[in-house]
């Protein structure tokens, strides 16, 4: 009976990791938010198991999802940087003048000046 008690959280976590993978691939952040608590609870339940009791398939699924989570994070960061660049007028062009001094060529930045 003890073996089946340990199998229940393992099987539930495998199912959850599959759902998490689908949500990551679809970019469904609502699903990710909903399953976060369940994932934490199952990991706590599994935390009492010896490392040798955790099936290799579960480790593989967790590693795969970890890689997907890192890719999502990199994508979000790149998207944010792109938005910031577009809002800031883009990346200025850098060049050199006739004397060899570095110069930035680009549209003038708006400035807010208040005359008192």
């Amino acid at each position: 009976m003890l073996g089946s008690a340990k199998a229940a959280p393992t099987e539930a976590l495998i199912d959850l990791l599959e759902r998490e993978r689908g949500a990551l691939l679809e970019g469904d952040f609502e699903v990710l938010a909903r399953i976060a608590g369940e994932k934490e609870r199952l990991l706590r339940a599994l935390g009492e198991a010896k490392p040798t009791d955790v099936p290799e398939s579960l480790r593989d699924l967790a590693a795969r999802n970890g890689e997907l989570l890192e890719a999502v994070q990199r994508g979000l960061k790149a998207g944010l940087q792109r938005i910031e660049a577009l809002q800031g007028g883009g990346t200025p062009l850098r060049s050199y003048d006739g004397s060899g001094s570095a110069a930035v060529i680009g549209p003038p930045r708006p400035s807010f000046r208040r005359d008192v």
Side-chain angles (χ1 to χ4, degrees):
M1 179 165 271
L2 184 59
S4 64
K6 291 220 184 259
T10 300
E11 293 302 318
L13 189 54
I14 288 172
D15 178 60
L16 182 134
L17 290 172
E18 288 295 343
R19 288 186 288 143
E20 180 183 60
R21 178 179 186 269
L24 287 166
L25 293 174
E26 294 293 322
D28 193 340
F29 296 108
E30 289 180 27
V31 169
L32 292 171
R34 280 197 313 263
I35 65 175
E38 183 182 355
K39 183 177 177 184
E40 185 177 328
R41 180 184 60 77
L42 288 169
L43 287 171
R44 268 197 312 266
L46 201 66
E48 298 170 3
K50 296 177 188 173
T52 55
D53 292 342
V54 178
E56 190 69 28
S57 61
L58 181 58
R59 289 186 208 144
D60 291 344
L61 289 172
R64 178 193 64 188
N65 285 8
E67 291 171 6
L68 284 173
L69 284 166
E70 288 174 5
V72 167
Q73 184 179 21
R74 286 190 307 270
L76 290 172
K77 185 177 180 180
L80 180 60
Q81 289 172 342
R82 178 71 177 137
I83 289 169
E84 289 172 350
L86 290 171
Q87 288 176 337
T91 305
L93 176 62
R94 299 183 189 278
S95 184
Y96 297 92
D97 63 16
S99 66
S101 297
V104 176
I105 303 170
R109 297 262 181 198
S111 63
F112 297 100
R113 186 172 159 207
R114 183 176 164 187
D115 293 325
V116 180

